[in-house]
Amino acid sequence: MRIAVTPGEPAGIGPDLVIQLAAEARTAELVAIADPELLRERARILGTELRLLPYDRSREPVPGKPGELLVDAISLAEPCTAGMLNTANGPYVLSTLGRAARGCLDGEFRAMLTAPVQKSVIAASGTPFSGHTEYLAKLCGVATPVMLLCADELRVALLTTHLALRDVPAQITAERIDAVCRILHDGLQRLFGLPNPRVAVLGLNPHAGESGQLGREEIEVIEPAVHRLQAAGIDVRGPLPADSAFTPASLEQYDGVLAMFHDQGLPVLKYRGFGGAVNITLGLPIVRTSVDHGTALELAGTGKADAGSLRVALRYAEELAQRSAA
């Protein structure tokens, strides 16, 4: 199996993490879409032996040896210093993502694995960018991507992703709840092998609106959408108060949780499994997994970055690619 990996923001810990993966035994062929000089220099700084090999797509995929890494070369616009952002390299990051996504779409790669990017650098370089999820959806021609984060058996999907909190209520519509729940339901079935997935749908307001006393989104939007999904044979329940929905007793009843906004669901998940969780994009025609953290500029080039999340994301990429092909 051949998997593309993008190191993300060149000044962040992404290159460090990819180098750590390259030092380990693996069962899939890993192809870094990156500037080889960036990886070579970062490996030197880290004191890690790394042999970079040119990627040849005409050859059959074989797992690489520890300490070796295939590279499909894309050059940085300007040399990079670990920990120091440079907006000139924003287009480079987008080029690596585009190359990996196109390779997945045409069957060259079975999945893509992404290290963290610095959204502000890409936006400042001239391309509107709110995150991997939305950018890859546009590349793949998908209207409704779904961000799903997993920490062991806890799976949290997001109805809205990278939005200012004041903009969230307007984006909570019956149509979006219906579309996202169906994509989540399909993903849990197809990629996770759950024949009858149970989904908890959270409310927007404290106490799920307290019968309208703390907001009416639950009564007017969320509950009717849940009822329509139930009538269609999908096992969804809600709207549930977010605080009590994440108790252990409650979570035992569900295979996935749909949160209304980013910081409603992800703090709980990251508390549960930070550094070992994985970000998966549902709704794409390709398999894409990623880390559960940011660029950690202060750790870049120090040898202190932990590749745990990228390691788990690679395992998920292989498993999901196999299931999606079944």
Side-chain angles (χ1 to χ4, degrees), residues 181-206:
C181 275
R182 289 176 185 272
I183 292 169
L184 175 58
H185 180 268
D186 174 73
L188 292 173
Q189 285 185 323
R190 185 169 53 85
L191 299 178
F192 289 86
L194 299 168
N196 300 297
R198 304 159 300 169
V199 176
V201 178
L202 304 185
L204 171 66
N205 299 296

Side-chain angles (χ1 to χ4, degrees), residues 99-119:
R99 169 69 181 96
R102 288 189 297 273
C104 288
L105 287 169
D106 70 15
E108 177 185 359
F109 304 121
R110 293 283 299 280
M112 64 182 289
L113 173 66
T114 61
V117 298
Q118 190 82 17
K119 299 181 186 67

Side-chain angles (χ1 to χ4, degrees), residues 119-144:
K119 299 181 186 67
S120 59
V121 167
I122 297 172
S125 70
T127 300
F129 186 87
S130 58
H132 274 112
T133 303
E134 298 82 2
Y135 188 74
L136 292 174
K138 185 175 181 180
L139 287 180
C140 294
V142 170
T144 308

Side-chain angles (χ1 to χ4, degrees), residues 159 168 172 177 200-210 214-219 221-223 226 237-246 257-261 263-265:
L159 186 73
V168 167
I172 297 177
I177 293 170
V201 178
L202 304 185
L204 171 66
N205 299 296
H207 302 174
E210 193 88 43
L214 299 176
R216 297 192 58 81
E217 285 86 356
E218 288 77 11
I219 294 172
V221 180
I222 303 174
E223 187 173 352
V226 166
R237 307 171 202 179
L240 304 176
D243 54 357
S244 58
F246 283 111
V257 177
L258 178 61
M260 293 295 104
F261 57 94
D263 281 13
Q264 183 185 55

Side-chain angles (χ1 to χ4, degrees), residues 154 198 200 237 240 243-255 257 272:
L154 177 58
R198 304 159 300 169
R237 307 171 202 179
L240 304 176
D243 54 357
S244 58
F246 283 111
T247 60
S250 177
L251 288 174
E252 287 179 359
Q253 304 175 56
Y254 306 110
D255 301 301
V257 177
R272 170 82 167 265

Side-chain angles (χ1 to χ4, degrees), residues 177-179 181-182 201 224-236:
I177 293 170
D178 184 87
C181 275
R182 289 176 185 272
V201 178
V226 166
H227 287 165
R228 285 191 289 273
L229 287 162
Q230 291 171 338
I234 297 176
D235 190 352
V236 295

Side-chain angles (χ1 to χ4, degrees), residues 299-324:
L299 298 180
T302 67
K304 297 179 180 179
D306 184 352
S309 183
L310 191 64
R311 192 176 296 116
V312 174
L314 175 58
R315 175 171 59 82
Y316 268 85
E318 292 186 58
E319 293 175 356
L320 299 184
Q322 289 172 346
R323 290 197 187 115
S324 67

